[in-house]
Amino acid sequence: MRMWSSFSEWFWQERLWLPPNNSWAALEDRDGLVYAHPRDMLAALPLALALVVMRFIFERFVGMPLSRLLGVRNHARRLVKPNATLEKYFLTEGWKPKEPQMALLAAQCGLTLQQTQRWFRRRRNQDRPCLTKKFCEASWRFAFYLCSFFGGLSVLYHESWLWTPAMCWDSYPNQPLKPALYYWYLLELSFYISLLITLPFDVKRKDFKEQVAHHFVTIILIVFSYSSNLLRIGSLVLLLHDASDYLLEAGKMFNYTNRRKVCDALFIIFSLVFFYTRLVLFPTKILYTTYYESIAERSPFFGYYFFNVLLMVLQLLHVFWSGLILRMLCSFLKKGRMEKDVRSDVEESDSSDGEADQGHLPLKNGATHRPGAAPMDGPRSRLAGRLANGHTPAT
């Protein structure tokens, strides 16, 4: 108990959280004024669990019916034949064995290399989420981000610091807390905690690690900014992020319903909003005011450095995602339509990886012909070739 008390006393040192010549005592509620207190954020934990429950209810009774109404169709998948050796390798060693290992597994199971490759492709497809699941997840995030953005905009619209970020530091840290700002802040923190809780069950994309890093940095930023009474600048960061997120989720929803024109239009709008808010407003308004204007009338302290480091991590993630978006935009300009999300793990067909289905290729002297090999002559060989390519003989 004494150790915990010592740690708590060290952790909440005023020099770590507040500018010089300020104390926690000055931020106690008085004369009808309410200030932010770190303990207030504990309410986010039960609220995060409530959001998880709300999400599953939403997906079950709103997302699923909406997906059927909009015509979302899951791809038909072929189940793999049970194979203990391949299943054990798939679960313990990895989804995509190298070709030498694939050949060794084929020999152990008495299969051809092509049959083994096909087994792994189908097994990978079995673990990939279906379109309905993706749609339901996107619809929940769309609903939250949309409500959060316009709710936050209504909270901040009449505040001076929304239009002039330098006002974030007026009388800091002696800035009373408004109830609407507290509830919006609490909701945002609860949502990002709920995303971490459901992470093992969500659709995993190629930027999974970056998403996890983003969630952790966001949670730390929200908690730290609230505890240090940096709510004004913290609220601007949250609002900038929510400005484009709901557009992304809406684009995903229309992509899953195969409404290409609406999806393409939303993607272009999302890209423009993302670039403007994350690569223009964020560095020129947010980073500028936190780096320079925040210490114009006070000395730097630990919280100043810590907060800015976290904001720079966010900016690096913005640059990373901007690169992915630019790749998709270049593809769009070349082909005239969106092909796919470069972060997505798409399903593989039986002829993936550039392979033809060689299981039924004609044999000569007991050896399977490789692609590009000269075909055998004769009508029987031509008929076998037509069958191998999926054609049926005319009757």
Side-chain angles (χ1 to χ4, degrees):
M1 193 67 180
R2 181 180 298 177
M3 182 180 296
W4 171 255
S5 178
S6 300
F7 173 78
S8 179
E9 183 179 348
W10 170 84
F11 186 77
W12 294 109
Q13 292 180 81
E14 294 165 347
R15 65 182 183 85
L16 298 180
W17 298 83
L18 301 174
N21 304 319
N22 286 274
S23 65
W24 294 118
L27 299 179
E28 289 296 328
D29 301 343
R30 64 184 184 278
D31 303 327
L33 299 178
V34 178
Y35 292 88
H37 302 295
R39 60 180 179 272
D40 299 339
M41 291 287 94
L42 293 176
L45 297 177
L47 185 55
L49 295 177
L51 283 177
V52 172
V53 175
M54 286 180 59
R55 170 183 172 171
F56 284 111
I57 294 175
F58 179 92
E59 291 185 357
R60 175 68 179 83
F61 295 103
V62 179
M64 289 287 288
L66 186 61
S67 69
R68 289 193 291 267
L69 181 65
L70 295 178
V72 177
R73 295 289 181 267
N74 296 324
H75 298 298
R77 295 172 175 174
R78 294 184 180 183
L79 297 177
V80 298
K81 295 181 180 179
N83 188 305
T85 301
L86 299 183
E87 184 71 21
K88 181 180 179 181
Y89 186 93
F90 181 87
L91 295 175
T92 59
E93 301 296 332
W95 287 23
K96 292 187 176 182
K98 301 291 185 181
E99 188 163 344
Q101 185 62 40
M102 192 82 76
L104 181 61
L105 290 170
Q108 291 176 354
C109 300
L111 302 173
T112 66
L113 179 62
Q114 289 73 30
Q115 288 173 331
T116 308
Q117 291 171 331
R118 190 183 307 117
W119 189 95
F120 274 94
R121 283 195 296 271
R122 292 178 179 175
R123 183 64 181 85
R124 287 194 293 269
N125 282 340
Q126 283 185 199
D127 280 2
R128 289 190 172 99
C130 61
L131 285 181
T132 300
K133 176 177 172 58
K134 292 181 178 180
F135 179 90
C136 290
E137 181 180 310
S139 63
W140 164 251
R141 297 192 184 199
F142 166 76
F144 180 86
Y145 288 134
L146 182 69
C147 295
S148 178
F149 173 68
F150 286 101
L153 192 61
S154 66
V155 170
L156 301 180
Y157 186 79
H158 298 291
E159 302 293 350
S160 59
W161 67 83
L162 174 63
W163 313 105
T164 310
M167 295 296 292
C168 290
W169 316 109
D170 186 31
S171 302
Y172 174 77
N174 299 302
Q175 299 169 342
L177 173 64
K178 295 186 177 181
L181 182 57
Y182 165 70
Y183 290 121
W184 180 53
Y185 230 71
L186 184 66
L187 184 63
E188 289 275 4
L189 175 60
S190 303
F191 179 72
Y192 281 103
I193 294 176
S194 73
L195 290 182
L196 286 183
I197 294 174
T198 58
L199 208 56
F201 314 103
D202 288 344
V203 176
K204 289 183 174 59
R205 303 182 186 275
K206 294 177 181 178
D207 63 345
F208 175 77
K209 294 180 180 179
E210 289 78 12
Q211 287 282 2
V212 174
H214 174 268
H215 296 342
F216 271 111
V217 170
T218 303
I219 290 173
I220 295 172
L221 268 172
I222 294 175
V223 173
F224 181 82
S225 61
Y226 187 90
S227 301
S228 297
N229 209 21
L230 291 163
L231 280 91
R232 292 186 178 185
I233 192 65
S235 62
L236 297 185
V237 174
L238 290 175
L239 191 67
L240 277 184
H241 283 73
D242 289 344
S244 59
D245 286 342
Y246 72 92
L247 293 170
L248 173 63
E249 301 303 331
K252 291 180 185 178
M253 292 169 62
F254 282 103
N255 179 44
Y256 301 143
T257 60
N258 207 29
R259 287 168 169 78
R260 303 303 311 175
K261 291 184 178 179
V262 180
C263 175
D264 293 346
L266 282 172
F267 176 73
I268 293 174
I269 297 172
F270 158 75
S271 301
L272 295 175
V273 174
F274 185 93
F275 291 146
Y276 181 65
T277 56
R278 310 289 180 96
L279 299 184
V280 179
L281 287 182
F282 191 82
T284 61
K285 299 296 183 179
I286 303 300
L287 292 182
Y288 179 82
T289 194
T290 56
Y291 269 88
Y292 300 107
E293 295 174 338
S294 65
I295 56 174
E297 299 179 0
R298 61 189 59 85
S299 302
F301 63 108
F302 173 81
Y304 163 82
Y305 298 107
F306 183 70
F307 192 68
N308 280 293
V309 166
L310 292 177
L311 291 178
M312 279 304 303
V313 172
L314 275 186
Q315 184 59 24
L316 291 175
L317 290 172
H318 296 164
V319 173
F320 169 78
W321 282 314
S322 297
L324 297 183
I325 295 171
L326 280 174
R327 286 175 56 190
M328 297 173 69
L329 276 176
C330 290
S331 175
F332 176 79
L333 293 175
K334 289 179 180 178
K335 301 178 181 179
R337 63 190 296 267
M338 285 301 304
E339 290 297 313
K340 68 179 181 68
D341 186 345
V342 295
R343 304 174 306 147
S344 297
D345 189 18
V346 297
E347 292 194 23
E348 301 168 280
S349 67
D350 278 352
S351 58
S352 291
D353 306 325
E355 299 171 10
D357 186 358
Q358 301 178 32
H360 303 287
L361 286 176
L363 300 178
K364 183 175 183 180
N365 297 329
T368 305
H369 277 284
R370 298 295 178 192
M376 292 185 297
D377 295 327
R380 292 183 63 185
S381 298
R382 288 193 294 272
L383 176 60
R386 287 173 60 81
L387 291 173
N389 290 325
H391 298 288
T392 55
T395 54

